[in-house]
Amino acid sequence: MNGPVIHDANTLPVDDNVNPYAFSVDLDGQWFLQKGKMIAYYGRIEFHGIGHGYLDALIRTSFHSPMHAADWVVAEGRGKMLLADRSFDVNSYDLEDGNLTVRSGNLLAFQPSLSLKQSIIPGFLTLIGTGKFVAASNGPVVFAEPPIRVAPQALVGWADCPSPCHHYDHQYLRGVLGGVRAWTGFGGTSGEEHQFEFVGAGTVLLQSTEQLMEEIPTGETPEQDGVPHASPHNQPSMPRMPGQLGDLQRRFGL
Amino acid sequence: MVAYEGEMSFKKMTGGGDGLRGMVTRRLTGEQMAVMEVKGRGTCYFADRASEINLVTLRGETLYVESSNLLCTDGGLRTGTTFTGLRGASQGNGLFTTTVEGTGQAAIMSDGSAIVLRVAPDMPLQVDPGAYIAHTGRLKQHFQSGVNFRTFIGEGSGEAFQIRFEGDGLVYVQPSERNTIGGDL
């Protein structure tokens, strides 16, 4: 009978998956990790919060936002390091002078040659440059090409394409009846009336379940006119009425 | 047990199946296990909450495993408890762990398929306490901590505690972290 595969520092894969749930990094220098995702390592590796002494400079070169840097850790040294996240599927991706936007909770680790920025879209982070990064997903990731509409919960990220927009099935949401349906669920809502729509050239990354991973804070954006927020300050505070009723609020300028 | 084919009889083994002394030890150390013995002929299926199952073949060595990760063992294997030191405390699993000794097979559970890592004298291994599930061989464990004043002002690295294994043996880790006391530091 064959036993399980036994790994050691020399046989662990170099920057590749050990199994669908764990990724091995051949570290020589620095990598950035989300807090608490390292499960084991060989060699001499130190872990420091960003902002630790001389690592402070990394905020300027790689993080660009002092606000969410506290959720990241710098692994520094030489050795093999295993990363995993609650037994979700993990995958590595190579960016070549590209950009990729990913849901904040899904990004596990990345090479310092990439730089991490907050996306304009709340809850998402954008990686820019050349290098490797590791992201987790619930179930294997599926790559799709636009034009495509995806369920919001299944979206992991997108590369090289323009930002998505919202898409609604208007047949279903329109008018008083549609409003009542959307509001109460009576008359049958499919739960799929709202999608994200991608157009243009690029790649869209989807996960095969609609279970979301917990978000990590991406940091506050400056309170400024024209800057979108997760909890919008620039939107009317009054809730929209069911069925829109001809958008009474808007007509009365509320 | 989820199903069986053939003729089986099941018997509850009071107190973890190590006899009276074992029972008292388990009570004292908090490593209680509800154990049953199955005898008979046929195929018996074991499972627990869809967790991954890893078979460990023992040839006279000792397997150290958290009692919550042990699914079943050959009847010929002896189980017991042992002191683990600070590692257990950091995992929130108590200061003691379960040992399985003898010749035969044991099944251990993990959240996601377990990864087996070899430790050699010139190749020590550091493991996150939350990802550790079991080990075999002659290993020395140290508790390694990177806690410093930054941890207390909320700038910790999230990887403040590790178990360092030295010696000769195998360590089983799972691709997931239990919630540990040190987990957030």
Side-chain angles (χ1 to χ4, degrees):
Chain A
M1 201 201 102
N2 284 335
V5 189
I6 295 165
H7 293 285
D8 64 29
N10 303 315
T11 62
L12 273 176
V14 174
D15 293 340
D16 203 354
N17 276 58
V18 184
N19 65 26
Y21 316 111
F23 185 84
S24 162
V25 176
D26 185 15
L27 187 72
D28 187 5
Q30 292 177 335
W31 261 73
F32 300 134
L33 330 174
Q34 222 192 87
K35 267 188 185 177
K37 305 303 179 200
M38 186 280 295
I39 57 167
Y41 68 88
Y42 287 107
R44 297 183 62 84
I45 301 179
E46 285 186 32
F47 298 89
H48 290 299
I50 288 166
H52 174 93
Y54 66 97
L55 295 176
D56 201 45
L58 291 173
I59 294 178
R60 182 172 53 81
T61 56
S62 292
F63 284 89
H64 304 278
S65 161
M67 282 77 164
H68 68 275
D71 296 298
W72 290 88
V73 179
V74 186
E76 201 170 29
R78 285 178 75 98
K80 289 271 179 71
M81 172 170 71
L82 288 178
L83 306 176
D85 187 9
R86 293 161 288 171
S87 68
F88 288 123
D89 287 67
V90 293
N91 274 301
S92 71
Y93 306 85
D94 288 301
L95 270 186
E96 221 163 284
D97 200 11
N99 71 81
L100 181 132
T101 304
V102 62
R103 202 178 278 279
S104 64
N106 291 65
L107 182 63
L108 281 196
F110 62 97
Q111 269 181 338
S113 54
L114 289 167
S115 82
L116 182 75
K117 301 193 179 192
Q118 294 163 280
S119 170
I120 292 181
I121 297 164
F124 283 82
L125 297 166
T126 301
L127 288 163
I128 301 172
T130 301
K132 200 182 267 290
F133 69 95
V134 182
S137 60
N138 216 322
V141 162
V142 179
F143 296 87
E145 292 214 345
I148 187 174
R149 293 181 186 146
V150 305
Q153 299 82 19
L155 180 68
V156 173
W158 62 91
D160 298 328
C161 48
S163 296
C165 41
H166 295 277
H167 174 87
Y168 300 91
D169 284 351
H170 269 272
Q171 295 286 4
Y172 224 78
L173 289 174
R174 219 161 144 192
V176 176
L177 258 184
V180 170
R181 236 184 341 227
W183 197 261
T184 62
F186 291 133
T189 47
S190 65
E192 308 280 5
E193 296 89 355
H194 172 213
Q195 298 98 31
F196 290 154
E197 175 159 342
F198 290 87
V199 287
T203 313
V204 180
L205 282 67
L206 309 174
Q207 60 181 12
S208 39
T209 66
E210 297 199 346
Q211 193 185 332
L212 282 179
M213 309 188 51
E214 201 182 321
E215 280 192 7
I216 59 162
T218 54
E220 286 295 305
T221 43
E223 301 251 337
Q224 207 173 30
D225 286 348
V227 178
H229 291 271
S231 50
H233 302 288
N234 50 354
Q235 299 287 315
S237 57
M238 214 167 122
R240 283 162 72 88
M241 294 169 116
Q244 304 174 350
L245 295 176
D247 256 349
L248 282 178
Q249 307 101 302
R250 183 164 52 81
R251 296 209 179 162
F252 289 116
L254 292 173
Chain B
M1 201 277 294
V2 288
Y4 69 90
E5 294 164 346
E7 287 298 311
M8 304 267 168
S9 66
F10 299 89
K11 186 178 123 199
K12 181 172 195 287
M13 311 267 286
T14 315
D18 309 331
L20 188 61
R21 189 168 156 268
M23 183 169 99
V24 174
T25 323
R26 286 193 177 277
R27 284 271 164 229
L28 286 177
T29 56
E31 281 281 313
Q32 289 108 324
M33 296 192 291
V35 177
M36 64 163 188
E37 183 187 57
V38 52
K39 271 187 185 161
R41 185 180 287 274
T43 312
C44 193
Y45 299 91
F46 298 98
D48 186 29
R49 277 162 287 173
S51 47
E52 297 275 338
I53 290 166
N54 311 272
L55 275 180
V56 184
T57 308
L58 293 175
R59 291 183 193 84
E61 318 100 298
T62 306
L63 170 74
Y64 298 83
V65 59
E66 291 304 320
S67 61
S68 52
N69 288 99
L70 186 61
L71 179 64
C72 55
T73 69
D74 267 353
L77 294 170
R78 291 184 305 281
T79 52
T81 33
T82 185
F83 180 69
T84 61
L86 273 170
R87 190 201 80 223
S90 68
Q91 284 172 229
N93 281 350
L95 294 168
F96 297 87
T97 195
T98 295
T99 55
V100 182
E101 281 174 88
T103 302
Q105 288 195 319
I108 55 178
M109 298 184 286
S110 56
D111 184 13
S113 7
I115 300 157
V116 192
L117 296 169
R118 182 182 297 285
V119 178
D122 59 339
M123 206 161 49
L125 173 72
Q126 287 81 355
V127 176
D128 187 287
Y132 165 86
I133 49 176
H135 74 266
T136 61
R138 271 205 301 268
L139 291 179
K140 267 200 330 201
Q141 309 176 24
H142 300 282
F143 192 61
Q144 175 171 308
S145 137
V147 177
N148 52 23
F149 77 96
R150 286 177 192 279
T151 312
F152 299 101
I153 56 170
E155 282 192 10
S157 63
E159 306 292 359
F161 298 102
Q162 287 121 29
I163 322 164
R164 185 179 168 88
F165 287 96
E166 283 172 4
D168 215 340
L170 300 176
V171 179
Y172 292 76
V173 294
Q174 62 181 9
S176 163
E177 299 191 356
R178 278 184 290 262
N179 284 328
T180 57
I181 299 172
D184 289 334
L185 296 180

